[in-house]
Each structure stands twice: as C-alpha cells, then as structure tokens.
Amino acid sequence: MPNNPAPHLFILTGASRGMGLAMARQLLQPGHVLLTLSRRANPDLASQAAGAQVVLEQWPIDLADAPAASQRLHGWLASHAAQAFASATLINNAGVIPAIVPLRDADPADLAHALRVGLEAPMLLTAAFLRATRDWPGARKVLNISSGLGRRAMASQAAYCAAKAGMDHFTRCVALDEAPLANGARVCSLAPGVIDTDMQVQLRGADAQAFPDRANFEQLKQGGHLTSPEDAARRVLAFLARPDFGAEPVADVRQAA
C-alpha cells in the first residue's frame, strides 16, 4: 500500500479566542498538523481535533517571554526530519492592546508587555521558524496578522500602532532576505479588516476623553460593519492559500482580488 502523504504543518499564536480561535478551528482538517502557542490550552479545540482525527499540540505559553518561546519552537521544529511535512506555515496572530491612554500617561510595564507580545515575539518566532526550516524542501510561509493601525496613526494607541507598523516593516525586510533563496519562504503582513472581538469591546469602552476615536468604533458596531471572527478567519486563510501569497509583503484582505 502507498505511504500516506506528508501532512501540512501550521503553527498559530493567539489561538485562545477571537479570530485566532476561529482560525484554529478551521485549520483542524485532515492532512493538517496544528501547533498552537497561547496563554492557555483550549479543551474544546482538543475535542474537535480528536473527533476529526487531526494532530493538535497546544502549548500554554507566555509570548511576553519571546526568547524562551522562540527557543522552544526552534527545538521542536529541529526535532523533525526535513521531509516530515509537505509544507510549513507560521501564523503570528497574537497581540494585545495596552491601556487606552496617551503615551505620556502609559504604564511602562504595560507598554513593554504590548511590544513584547505584538512585535518582539513575532520577530523571534519568525527567525526561529526560518532558521529551523531553511533546508526543508516543502513550501514555507509566514503570515503576520497586522492591522490598519499599523498604517494609520491613532491617538492613545501608540504601542499597538507601533507594534503593527514594526510588524509590517520587518516583514518587508524578511521578504528581501528570502527572495534570493532557492526555496525562500513567502511572507506577508496582512490587515484582516475590522473584527467583532474583545478588542473592539475594549476600544468602545475606553474613556472618550482619552480616546478621541471611541465614537468611530461605536458606529462600526451599531452600523453592522464588523466582521465575525469566523468570517474573518475564512478570508485570512483563503488569502494564505492563494497561489500569489507573498507577492506583496504588506497587504489588506479587504483589498484582495
């Protein structure tokens, strides 16, 4: 009998809620192996994986300690043979919004945490992924979940905007690094649109005096302009599956053809 084909590996951060959880659920398909890095394991996700007979590994991990997370990821990837997976994809989805206040009033520890999770962790995980898989023959992809706020400034959002702008720009750099390689990874920093998640609740609940854009986020909700996490996940994963993924290192799913 012929051997079963090698599975496709997906590594996903921030899979405990919102669009990250929706992506994790949609990635639990036959022929896939899913590794999640989140603050906590999700028992419902484990049950779904068992029912679908899909390999799922969940790491409860603090992405604010990016060196430890990236070292663990590199070791795990290096423990697999180069031919173990038909393809390998890293999706850097995790991010946090610190207290919604002007930078002058921000707590230093809060700022540092937001930048560690939102920028340092994606950079270190991407480096570990690319280093460990550089000789793998299958297709390799890195999808960084960015935001329109990485491309448009907003008051009282300095840390989040800076993290996403940094994500966009380091993705451009990685695209240049990988382009000359025979099997260079395809990379993209993708804005997923405006999604109805806990982050939106946080923005709508902010102090209007400290956050001048609060009314805009309230109108998005009231006007029905927010995408559900499930629909957003489908659009993002469809973009990831496009044959031209990575042609543009910075993109917006709403502008995709």
Side-chain angles (χ1 to χ4, degrees):
M1 294 180 63
N3 293 329
N4 291 329
H8 298 274
L9 171 65
F10 293 88
I11 303 160
L12 172 65
T13 71
S16 61
R17 60 181 182 174
M19 189 180 74
L21 177 58
M23 282 195 289
R25 292 192 184 283
Q26 293 173 30
L27 286 169
L28 290 177
Q29 300 179 17
H32 288 182
V33 169
L34 177 60
L35 168 64
T36 64
L37 285 68
S38 302
R39 287 173 295 177
R40 64 186 69 87
N42 186 312
D44 292 337
L45 205 60
S47 297
Q48 181 183 342
Q53 297 184 324
V54 176
V55 175
L56 167 68
E57 187 163 345
Q58 300 187 78
W59 292 357
I61 201 164
D62 183 3
L63 291 174
D65 188 356
S70 63
Q71 184 177 18
R72 183 178 178 185
L73 178 62
H74 183 274
W76 186 86
L77 290 167
S79 72
H80 292 82
Q83 295 79 19
F85 300 106
S87 69
T89 300
L90 170 65
I91 305 175
N92 283 308
N93 168 70
V96 295
I97 289 185
I100 304 171
V101 295
L103 187 64
R104 61 182 176 269
D105 297 326
D107 177 72
D110 202 23
L111 285 175
H113 180 263
L115 291 171
R116 285 176 183 143
V117 174
L119 181 56
E120 184 182 40
M123 288 191 74
L124 269 63
L125 291 172
T126 297
F129 174 82
L130 295 174
R131 184 165 59 250
T133 64
R134 70 172 75 195
D135 296 323
W136 289 18
R140 298 177 302 138
K141 299 179 182 179
V142 177
L143 171 59
N144 291 323
I145 302 300
S146 184
S147 169
L149 294 187
R151 302 152 204 183
R152 178 173 66 89
M154 182 171 286
S156 297
Q157 288 286 283
Y160 187 79
C161 289
K164 294 305 185 182
M167 173 179 276
D168 285 353
H169 212 47
F170 96 72
T171 303
R172 294 184 180 101
C173 295
V174 173
L176 295 173
D177 292 340
E178 296 293 308
L181 304 181
N183 188 32
R186 289 181 284 163
V187 300
C188 182
S189 187
L190 181 69
V194 188
I195 308 166
D196 197 1
T197 63
D198 290 344
M199 190 173 291
Q200 286 289 318
V201 175
Q202 185 179 354
L203 292 168
R204 293 194 300 271
D207 181 351
Q209 290 187 335
F211 186 44
D213 286 278
R214 171 179 158 172
N216 294 334
F217 287 93
E218 291 174 338
Q219 290 169 7
L220 286 172
K221 177 67 172 179
Q222 295 166 2
H225 300 302
L226 299 179
T227 305
S228 72
E230 293 74 22
D231 285 346
R234 276 190 285 272
R235 294 176 68 183
V236 166
L237 294 178
F239 188 95
L240 176 65
R242 287 169 50 144
D244 63 346
F245 175 84
E248 295 293 336
V250 175
D252 190 314
V253 75
R254 292 164 292 188
Q255 298 170 351

